């Protein structure tokens, strides 16, 4: 009887260790501003529970064709859940980028017509890292991270909330 009790306690202990594991990132936010064309303009936030919120301004679900498209109402606020696989990959790519060691800015002032972007990472201890970027040179792991966030945004099934 005691043997079964210890076995049960060991299994429960292992389960609680794997389910209560804290993510390395409380929140990952990526914001893309407008360009001098028809670039998608949005802010995506993904939390450690894999919840995603998309604040879609323009050209996230449609392609622009004229300047009149800019005067249309914003596309809306959407929610979704990031798949376990995509979230694990997002964490791995974020780890590889060594966010805390990167500069706070990769803005190339010579490039005026591209979107300005901002990546914000919130850590479990409440500390944050914000990186402002534009077109131009930036570390490859940082570019891979922002490209992956955009890739995840594209393949998610979004549900409009407002």
């Amino acid at each position: 009887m005691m043997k079964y009790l210890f076995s049960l306690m060991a299994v429960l202990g292992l389960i609680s260790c794997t389910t209560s594991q804290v993510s390395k990132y409380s929140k990952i936010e990526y914001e893309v501003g407008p360009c001098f064309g028809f670039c998608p303009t949005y802010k995506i936030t993904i939390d450690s529970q894999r919840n995603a919120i998309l604040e879609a301004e323009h050209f996230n679900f449609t392609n622009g064709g004229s300047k009149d498209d800019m005067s249309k109402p914003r596309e809306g606020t959407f929610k979704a859940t990031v798949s376990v696989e995509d979230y694990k990959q997002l964490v791995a790519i974020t780890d590889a980028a060594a966010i805390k060691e990167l500069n706070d800015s990769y803005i190339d002032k010579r490039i005026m017509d591209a979107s300005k972007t901002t990546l914000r990472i919130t850590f479990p201890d409440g500390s944050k890292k914000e990186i402002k970027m534009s077109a131009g040179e930036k570390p490859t792991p940082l570019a891979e991270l922002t490209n992956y966030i955009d890739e995840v945004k594209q393949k998610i099934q979004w549900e409009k909330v407002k």
Side-chain angles (χ1 to χ4, degrees), residues 50-62:
R50 304 184 351 263
N51 299 308
I53 299 291
L54 175 65
E55 297 288 340
E57 296 299 324
H58 298 287
F59 313 120
N60 290 278
F61 303 103
T62 61

Side-chain angles (χ1 to χ4, degrees), residues 1-62:
M1 175 78 166
M2 223 35 173
K3 185 192 260 182
Y4 294 114
L5 186 58
F6 282 126
S7 296
L8 179 62
M9 288 174 60
V11 168
L12 290 175
L14 287 173
I15 290 171
S16 68
C17 286
T18 58
T19 58
S20 66
Q21 192 174 35
V22 176
S23 176
K24 297 176 186 179
Y25 311 103
S26 296
K27 186 168 39 174
I28 297 172
E29 297 175 88
Y30 183 55
E31 190 169 355
V32 179
C35 66
F36 289 135
F38 305 107
C39 306
T41 307
Y42 64 91
K43 176 181 173 185
I44 185 171
T45 304
I46 302 170
D47 70 19
S48 60
Q49 303 300 308
R50 304 184 351 263
N51 299 308
I53 299 291
L54 175 65
E55 297 288 340
E57 296 299 324
H58 298 287
F59 313 120
N60 290 278
F61 303 103
T62 61

Side-chain angles (χ1 to χ4, degrees), residues 38 65-72:
F38 305 107
S66 74
K67 292 192 187 282
D68 293 335
D69 290 333
M70 291 300 290
S71 62
K72 290 181 179 176

Side-chain angles (χ1 to χ4, degrees), residues 127-147:
S127 64
K128 296 179 182 181
K129 175 72 173 186
E130 180 174 282
I131 303 170
K132 296 190 176 290
M133 297 165 275
S134 66
E137 290 191 34
K138 59 184 103 4
T140 300
L142 180 58
E144 288 172 354
L145 173 58
T146 58
N147 289 339

Side-chain angles (χ1 to χ4, degrees), residues 42 86 145-156:
Y42 64 91
D86 286 338
L145 173 58
T146 58
N147 289 339
Y148 188 72
I149 293 170
D150 189 58
E151 183 182 314
V152 168
K153 177 188 114 358
Q154 297 295 335
K155 68 180 176 177
I156 286 179

Side-chain angles (χ1 to χ4, degrees), residues 116-135:
K116 302 280 190 283
T117 62
T118 304
L119 176 69
R120 291 178 198 90
I121 306 290
T122 305
F123 299 92
D125 66 1
S127 64
K128 296 179 182 181
K129 175 72 173 186
E130 180 174 282
I131 303 170
K132 296 190 176 290
M133 297 165 275
S134 66

